[in-house]
């Protein structure tokens, strides 16, 4: 399977604990995005990378969230001191830039986080 | 920041009926993409619209981009049970960076 993969698929943690998620993009894709989706809502942008560089980070993202893409391949998203409001599906997507048309993003299956 | 509003939130149809969802922005969009998310699945790209007044068709699906590039629509003719899911519009940035998603329209098709 050459699609976007995410691990783990599910994570249950207690409030106050730290969690880390991993995303492996499609191998030739240089851009990688993180989104968060809650029930009944569209995906909400968190941050994105081009190669190793973090190009944009949402102002909604608190300093408890950090993301890295150290070698321009896989990425990790860490949430420190989790809160119940962090419970959501965390989606990773990748794309090629500059794109041929269309500039679609390919989404992974997501990591569902439940904070108890 | 950029926002896109999508209506309706829900649509229940009988199989064979048509379906339309609308996406509106207060600002001019550089491009708009449409995604479909099946229940329990992840968003899957359907199409991208870039030009003012653009109309694209994919079998029973017709996508339109408004003349002012502030609105878009997706129309499905003669729905089938396989069309069930949530349809999202997403505004793309000028450098194809982040996507700003609408709230989505949940389509239910009754056989």
């Amino acid at each position: 399977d050459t699609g976007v993969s995410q691990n783990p698929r599910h994570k249950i943690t207690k409030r106050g604990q730290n969690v880390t998620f991993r995303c492996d993009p499609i191998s030739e894709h240089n851009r990688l995005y993180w989104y968060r989706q809650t029930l009944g809502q569209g995906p909400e942008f968190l941050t994105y990378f081009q190669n190793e560089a973090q190009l944009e980070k949402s102002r909604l993202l608190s300093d408890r969230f950090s993301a890295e893409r150290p070698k321009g391949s896989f990425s990790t998203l860490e949430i420190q001191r989790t809160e119940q409001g962090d419970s959501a599906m965390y989606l990773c997507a990748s794309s090629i830039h500059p794109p041929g048309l269309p500039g679609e993003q390919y989404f992974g299956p997501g990591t569902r986080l439940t904070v108890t | 920041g950029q926002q896109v509003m999508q209506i309706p939130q829900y649509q229940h149809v009988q199989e064979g009926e048509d379906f339309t969802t609308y996406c509106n922005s207060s600002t001019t969009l550089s491009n708009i993409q449409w995604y479909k998310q099946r229940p329990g699945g992840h968003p899957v790209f359907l199409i991208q619209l870039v030009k003012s007044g653009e109309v694209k068709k994919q079998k029973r699906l017709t996508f339109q981009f408004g003349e002012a590039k502030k609105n878009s629509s997706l129309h499905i003719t003669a729905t089938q049970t396989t069309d069930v899911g949530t349809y999202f519009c997403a505004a793309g940035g000028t450098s194809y960076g982040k996507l700003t998603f609408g709230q989505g329209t949940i389509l239910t098709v009754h056989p």
Side-chain angles (χ1 to χ4, degrees):
Chain A
D1 189 337
T2 56
V4 178
S5 62
Q6 293 186 245
N7 288 288
R9 295 292 305 277
H10 304 273
K11 179 70 177 178
I12 300 174
T13 191
K14 293 186 177 180
R15 186 164 49 99
Q17 297 294 305
N18 298 344
V19 293
T20 300
F21 309 141
R22 176 176 170 131
C23 172
D24 287 89
I26 294 172
S27 58
E28 63 267 27
H29 286 186
N30 54 354
R31 282 197 170 175
L32 186 150
Y33 311 79
W34 286 99
Y35 294 86
R36 176 173 62 190
Q37 186 176 27
T38 54
L39 198 62
Q41 300 296 316
E44 175 190 21
F45 170 77
L46 296 178
T47 188
Y48 86 96
F49 295 83
Q50 181 162 314
N51 300 314
E52 305 89 355
Q54 189 172 20
L55 294 190
E56 188 172 351
K57 185 176 176 180
S58 169
R59 285 174 287 178
L60 301 174
L61 211 60
S62 79
D63 55 8
R64 296 185 297 107
F65 288 71
S66 62
E68 292 183 339
R69 195 182 182 199
K71 297 183 179 179
S73 56
F74 73 91
S75 174
T76 58
L77 176 68
E78 181 183 18
I79 309 174
Q80 296 182 328
R81 305 180 303 281
T82 52
E83 302 172 355
Q84 288 190 322
D86 297 331
S87 295
M89 177 72 83
Y90 289 83
L91 293 165
C92 176
S94 69
S95 70
I96 295 174
H97 185 81
L101 284 177
E104 63 190 286
Q105 294 184 14
Y106 294 79
F107 283 81
T111 294
R112 181 168 295 284
L113 173 66
T114 302
V115 182
T116 62
Chain B
Q2 186 168 254
Q3 285 188 323
V4 286
M5 304 299 294
Q6 197 172 346
I7 56 170
Q9 187 175 0
Y10 302 95
Q11 187 76 57
H12 306 275
V13 300
Q14 289 292 131
E15 189 172 19
E17 292 182 338
D18 293 355
F19 159 76
T20 304
T21 175
Y22 301 91
C23 187
N24 295 286
S25 170
S26 59
T27 60
T28 301
L29 303 172
S30 60
N31 65 84
I32 195 154
Q33 299 182 16
W34 285 91
Y35 288 78
K36 177 182 178 181
Q37 186 171 24
R38 295 183 184 275
H42 55 275
V44 175
F45 176 83
L46 293 176
I47 209 156
Q48 176 174 279
L49 304 172
V50 178
K51 299 176 182 177
S52 169
E54 190 168 17
V55 178
K56 288 188 176 180
K57 293 189 176 184
Q58 289 179 351
K59 297 183 179 178
R60 296 179 293 106
L61 278 61
T62 301
F63 303 84
Q64 293 188 329
F65 203 6
E67 293 291 340
K69 299 181 72 174
K70 289 185 176 182
N71 58 77
S72 181
S73 65
L74 158 60
H75 179 82
I76 302 178
T77 303
T79 54
Q80 299 175 358
T81 55
T82 53
D83 295 325
V84 164
T86 303
Y87 292 85
F88 293 101
C89 63
T94 52
S95 63
Y96 291 94
K98 71 178 185 183
L99 292 173
T100 301
F101 282 81
Q103 304 95 317
T105 296
I106 300 171
L107 173 64
T108 305
V109 180
H110 300 285

Coordinates of all heavy atoms in Angstrom, one line a residue, chain A residues 31 33 35 37 40-45 48 56 59 91 95 97 99 101-105 107-110, chain B residues 1 9 33 35 37 40-45 47-48 50 88 95-104 106:
Chain A
R31 N 5.1 17.8 0.6 CA 4.3 18.5 1.5 C 3.6 17.6 2.4 O 3.0 16.6 2.0 CB 3.4 19.5 0.9 CG 4.1 20.8 0.4 CD 3.2 21.9 0.1 NE 3.9 23.1 -0.1 CZ 3.4 24.3 -0.5 NH1 2.0 24.4 -0.7 NH2 4.1 25.4 -0.7
Y33 N 0.7 17.7 5.8 CA -0.2 18.5 6.5 C -0.8 17.7 7.7 O -1.0 16.5 7.6 CB -1.4 18.9 5.7 CG -1.0 19.5 4.3 CD1 -0.7 18.6 3.3 CD2 -1.1 20.8 4.1 CE1 -0.3 19.1 2.0 CE2 -0.8 21.4 2.8 CZ -0.4 20.5 1.8 OH -0.1 21.0 0.6
Y35 N -4.2 17.9 10.2 CA -5.6 18.5 10.5 C -6.2 17.8 11.7 O -5.8 16.7 12.0 CB -6.5 18.3 9.3 CG -6.1 19.0 8.0 CD1 -5.2 18.4 7.1 CD2 -6.7 20.2 7.7 CE1 -4.9 19.1 5.9 CE2 -6.4 20.9 6.5 CZ -5.5 20.3 5.7 OH -5.1 21.0 4.5
Q37 N -10.1 16.8 13.3 CA -11.5 16.7 12.9 C -12.3 16.2 14.1 O -12.0 15.2 14.7 CB -11.7 15.8 11.7 CG -13.2 15.8 11.2 CD -13.4 15.0 10.0 OE1 -12.6 14.1 9.7 NE2 -14.4 15.4 9.2
G40 N -18.9 15.8 13.3 CA -19.8 16.7 12.7 C -19.2 18.0 12.1 O -19.9 18.9 11.7
Q41 N -17.8 18.0 12.1 CA -17.1 19.2 11.6 C -16.2 18.8 10.5 O -15.8 17.6 10.3 CB -16.3 19.9 12.7 CG -17.1 20.4 13.9 CD -18.1 21.5 13.5 OE1 -17.7 22.4 12.7 NE2 -19.3 21.4 13.9
G42 N -15.8 19.8 9.7 CA -14.8 19.5 8.7 C -13.4 19.5 9.3 O -13.2 20.0 10.4
P43 N -12.4 19.0 8.6 CA -11.1 19.0 9.1 C -10.6 20.4 9.4 O -10.9 21.3 8.6 CB -10.3 18.3 8.0 CG -11.2 17.4 7.3 CD -12.5 18.2 7.4
E44 N -9.9 20.6 10.5 CA -9.4 22.0 10.8 C -7.9 21.9 10.7 O -7.2 21.1 11.3 CB -9.8 22.3 12.3 CG -9.2 23.6 12.8 CD -9.5 23.7 14.3 OE1 -9.7 22.7 15.0 OE2 -9.4 24.9 14.8
F45 N -7.3 22.9 10.0 CA -5.9 22.9 9.7 C -5.1 23.1 11.0 O -5.5 24.0 11.8 CB -5.6 24.0 8.7 CG -4.1 24.3 8.5 CD1 -3.3 23.5 7.8 CD2 -3.6 25.4 9.1 CE1 -2.0 23.8 7.6 CE2 -2.2 25.7 9.0 CZ -1.4 24.9 8.2
Y48 N 1.6 22.7 8.5 CA 2.1 21.9 7.3 C 3.6 22.2 7.1 O 4.1 23.2 7.5 CB 1.2 22.1 6.1 CG 1.6 23.3 5.2 CD1 2.4 23.2 4.1 CD2 1.0 24.6 5.4 CE1 2.6 24.2 3.2 CE2 1.3 25.6 4.6 CZ 2.1 25.5 3.5 OH 2.3 26.5 2.6
E56 N 3.7 26.8 8.0 CA 2.6 27.5 8.6 C 2.0 26.7 9.8 O 2.0 25.5 9.7 CB 1.4 27.7 7.6 CG 0.3 28.6 8.1 CD -0.7 29.0 7.0 OE1 -0.4 28.8 5.8 OE2 -1.7 29.6 7.4
R59 N -3.0 29.6 14.3 CA -2.9 30.4 15.5 C -3.8 29.7 16.6 O -3.7 30.0 17.7 CB -3.4 31.8 15.2 CG -2.4 32.6 14.5 CD -3.0 34.0 14.1 NE -3.9 33.8 13.0 CZ -4.6 34.8 12.5 NH1 -4.5 36.0 12.9 NH2 -5.4 34.6 11.5
L91 N -5.8 13.9 11.5 CA -5.6 13.5 10.1 C -4.3 14.1 9.6 O -4.0 15.2 9.8 CB -6.8 14.0 9.2 CG -8.1 13.4 9.5 CD1 -9.2 14.2 8.8 CD2 -8.2 11.9 9.0
S95 N 1.0 16.0 -0.2 CA 0.8 16.4 -1.6 C 2.2 16.7 -2.2 O 3.2 16.8 -1.5 CB -0.1 17.7 -1.6 OG 0.6 18.8 -1.1
H97 N 4.3 19.5 -4.3 CA 4.4 20.9 -4.6 C 5.7 21.3 -5.3 O 6.7 20.9 -4.9 CB 4.3 21.8 -3.3 CG 4.2 23.3 -3.6 ND1 3.0 23.9 -4.0 CD2 5.1 24.2 -3.7 CE1 3.2 25.2 -4.2 NE2 4.5 25.4 -4.0
P99 N 2.3 21.6 -7.7 CA 1.5 20.5 -8.2 C 1.2 20.7 -9.7 O 1.2 21.8 -10.2 CB 0.2 20.7 -7.4 CG 0.1 22.2 -7.3 CD 1.5 22.7 -7.1
L101 N -1.9 20.2 -12.0 CA -3.3 20.2 -11.6 C -3.9 18.8 -11.5 O -3.6 18.0 -12.4 CB -4.1 21.1 -12.5 CG -4.0 22.6 -12.4 CD1 -4.8 23.3 -13.5 CD2 -4.4 23.0 -11.0
P102 N -4.7 18.5 -10.6 CA -5.1 19.3 -9.5 C -4.1 19.3 -8.3 O -3.3 18.4 -8.3 CB -6.5 18.7 -9.1 CG -6.3 17.3 -9.3 CD -5.5 17.2 -10.6
G103 N -4.3 20.2 -7.4 CA -3.4 20.2 -6.2 C -4.0 19.5 -5.0 O -4.1 20.0 -3.9
E104 N -4.4 18.2 -5.3 CA -5.1 17.5 -4.3 C -4.2 17.1 -3.1 O -3.0 16.9 -3.3 CB -5.8 16.2 -4.9 CG -4.8 15.2 -5.4 CD -5.5 14.1 -6.2 OE1 -6.1 13.3 -5.6 OE2 -5.3 14.2 -7.4
Q105 N -4.9 16.9 -2.0 CA -4.2 16.4 -0.8 C -4.7 14.9 -0.6 O -5.9 14.7 -0.7 CB -4.4 17.3 0.4 CG -3.8 18.6 0.3 CD -3.9 19.5 1.5 OE1 -4.3 19.1 2.6 NE2 -3.6 20.8 1.3
F107 N -5.3 12.0 2.0 CA -5.4 11.9 3.5 C -5.1 10.5 3.9 O -5.4 9.5 3.2 CB -6.8 12.3 3.9 CG -7.0 13.8 4.0 CD1 -7.3 14.5 2.8 CD2 -6.9 14.5 5.2 CE1 -7.5 15.9 2.9 CE2 -7.1 15.8 5.2 CZ -7.4 16.5 4.1
G108 N -4.6 10.4 5.1 CA -4.4 9.1 5.8 C -5.7 8.7 6.6 O -6.6 9.5 6.6
P109 N -5.7 7.5 7.2 CA -6.8 7.1 7.9 C -7.1 7.8 9.2 O -8.2 7.6 9.8 CB -6.5 5.6 8.1 CG -5.1 5.5 8.1 CD -4.6 6.5 7.2
G110 N -6.1 8.5 9.7 CA -6.3 9.2 11.0 C -5.9 8.5 12.2 O -5.8 7.2 12.2
Chain B
G1 N -9.6 35.2 9.6 CA -9.1 34.3 8.6 C -10.2 33.8 7.6 O -11.4 34.2 7.7
Q9 N -26.7 21.4 6.2 CA -25.8 20.5 7.0 C -26.2 19.1 6.8 O -25.3 18.2 6.9 CB -26.0 20.9 8.5 CG -25.1 20.2 9.4 CD -25.2 20.7 10.9 OE1 -26.0 21.5 11.2 NE2 -24.4 20.1 11.8
Q33 N -11.6 23.0 -3.7 CA -11.6 21.6 -3.8 C -12.8 21.0 -3.2 O -13.4 21.5 -2.2 CB -10.3 21.0 -3.2 CG -9.0 21.6 -3.9 CD -7.8 20.9 -3.3 OE1 -7.8 19.9 -2.7 NE2 -6.6 21.6 -3.6
Y35 N -14.2 17.3 -1.5 CA -13.8 16.0 -0.9 C -15.1 15.3 -0.5 O -16.1 15.9 -0.1 CB -12.9 16.2 0.3 CG -11.5 16.6 -0.1 CD1 -11.2 18.0 -0.4 CD2 -10.4 15.7 -0.2 CE1 -10.0 18.4 -0.7 CE2 -9.2 16.1 -0.5 CZ -8.9 17.5 -0.8 OH -7.7 17.9 -1.2
Q37 N -16.2 12.1 2.3 CA -15.8 11.3 3.4 C -16.9 10.3 3.7 O -18.0 10.7 4.1 CB -15.5 12.2 4.6 CG -14.9 11.4 5.8 CD -14.4 12.3 6.9 OE1 -14.9 13.5 7.0 NE2 -13.5 11.9 7.7
G40 N -16.9 6.7 8.8 CA -15.8 6.0 9.3 C -14.5 6.1 8.5 O -13.5 5.5 8.8
G41 N -14.6 6.9 7.4 CA -13.4 7.0 6.5 C -12.7 8.3 6.6 O -13.0 9.1 7.5
H42 N -11.8 8.5 5.6 CA -11.1 9.8 5.6 C -11.5 10.6 4.3 O -12.0 10.0 3.4 CB -9.6 9.5 5.6 CG -9.1 8.6 4.5 ND1 -9.1 7.3 4.6 CD2 -8.6 8.9 3.3 CE1 -8.7 6.7 3.5 NE2 -8.4 7.7 2.7
P43 N -11.2 11.9 4.3 CA -11.6 12.6 3.1 C -10.9 12.1 1.9 O -9.7 11.9 1.9 CB -11.2 14.1 3.5 CG -11.2 14.1 4.9 CD -10.7 12.7 5.4
V44 N -11.6 12.0 0.8 CA -11.1 11.6 -0.5 C -11.4 12.7 -1.5 O -12.5 13.2 -1.7 CB -11.6 10.3 -1.0 CG1 -11.1 9.9 -2.4 CG2 -11.3 9.2 0.0
F45 N -10.3 13.1 -2.2 CA -10.4 14.2 -3.2 C -11.4 13.8 -4.4 O -11.3 12.7 -4.9 CB -9.0 14.5 -3.8 CG -9.0 15.5 -4.9 CD1 -9.0 16.9 -4.6 CD2 -8.9 15.1 -6.2 CE1 -8.9 17.8 -5.6 CE2 -8.9 16.1 -7.2 CZ -8.8 17.4 -6.9
I47 N -12.5 16.8 -6.8 CA -12.2 17.7 -7.9 C -11.6 19.0 -7.4 O -11.8 19.3 -6.2 CB -13.4 17.9 -8.8 CG1 -13.1 18.2 -10.2 CG2 -14.3 19.0 -8.2 CD1 -14.2 17.9 -11.2
Q48 N -11.0 19.8 -8.3 CA -10.5 21.1 -8.0 C -11.0 22.1 -9.0 O -11.0 21.7 -10.2 CB -9.0 21.2 -7.9 CG -8.5 22.6 -7.7 CD -7.0 22.7 -7.4 OE1 -6.6 22.4 -6.3 NE2 -6.3 23.0 -8.4
V50 N -10.7 26.1 -10.4 CA -9.7 27.2 -10.4 C -10.3 28.5 -11.1 O -10.1 29.6 -10.6 CB -8.4 26.8 -11.0 CG1 -7.4 28.0 -10.9 CG2 -7.8 25.6 -10.2
F88 N -17.5 17.7 1.5 CA -16.9 19.0 2.0 C -16.3 19.8 0.8 O -15.7 19.2 -0.1 CB -15.7 18.6 2.9 CG -16.0 18.0 4.2 CD1 -15.8 16.6 4.3 CD2 -16.4 18.7 5.3 CE1 -16.1 16.0 5.6 CE2 -16.7 18.1 6.5 CZ -16.5 16.7 6.6
S95 N -0.8 29.3 -2.7 CA 0.4 28.5 -2.9 C 0.1 27.0 -2.6 O 1.0 26.2 -2.3 CB 1.5 28.9 -2.0 OG 1.2 28.8 -0.7
Y96 N -1.2 26.6 -2.7 CA -1.6 25.3 -2.5 C -1.2 24.8 -1.1 O -0.8 23.6 -1.0 CB -1.1 24.3 -3.6 CG -1.8 24.6 -4.9 CD1 -1.1 25.4 -5.9 CD2 -3.0 24.0 -5.3 CE1 -1.8 25.7 -7.1 CE2 -3.6 24.3 -6.5 CZ -3.0 25.1 -7.4 OH -3.5 25.4 -8.6
G97 N -1.3 25.6 -0.2 CA -0.9 25.2 1.2 C -2.1 24.6 1.9 O -2.8 23.7 1.4
K98 N -2.5 25.2 3.0 CA -3.5 24.7 3.8 C -4.9 24.7 3.1 O -5.1 25.6 2.3 CB -3.6 25.4 5.2 CG -4.2 26.8 5.1 CD -4.3 27.4 6.4 CE -5.0 28.8 6.3 NZ -5.0 29.5 7.6
L99 N -5.8 23.8 3.5 CA -7.1 23.8 3.0 C -8.0 24.3 4.2 O -7.8 23.9 5.3 CB -7.6 22.5 2.6 CG -6.9 21.9 1.3 CD1 -7.4 20.5 1.1 CD2 -7.3 22.8 0.1
T100 N -9.0 25.2 3.9 CA -10.0 25.6 4.9 C -11.3 24.9 4.5 O -11.9 25.3 3.4 CB -10.1 27.1 4.9 OG1 -8.9 27.7 5.2 CG2 -11.2 27.5 5.9
F101 N -11.7 24.0 5.3 CA -12.9 23.2 5.0 C -14.2 23.8 5.5 O -14.2 24.5 6.5 CB -12.8 21.8 5.7 CG -11.8 20.8 5.0 CD1 -10.5 20.9 5.2 CD2 -12.3 19.9 4.1 CE1 -9.6 20.0 4.5 CE2 -11.5 19.0 3.5 CZ -10.1 19.1 3.7
G102 N -15.2 23.6 4.7 CA -16.6 23.9 5.2 C -17.0 22.9 6.2 O -16.3 21.9 6.5
Q103 N -18.2 23.1 6.8 CA -18.7 22.2 7.8 C -19.1 20.8 7.2 O -19.3 19.8 7.9 CB -19.8 22.8 8.6 CG -19.5 24.1 9.2 CD -19.9 25.3 8.3 OE1 -19.7 25.3 7.1 NE2 -20.5 26.3 8.9
G104 N -19.4 20.8 5.9 CA -19.8 19.5 5.3 C -21.3 19.4 5.2 O -22.0 20.0 6.0
I106 N -24.0 16.3 5.1 CA -24.1 14.8 5.3 C -25.3 14.3 4.4 O -26.4 14.8 4.6 CB -24.4 14.5 6.8 CG1 -23.2 14.9 7.7 CG2 -24.6 13.0 6.9 CD1 -23.5 14.8 9.1

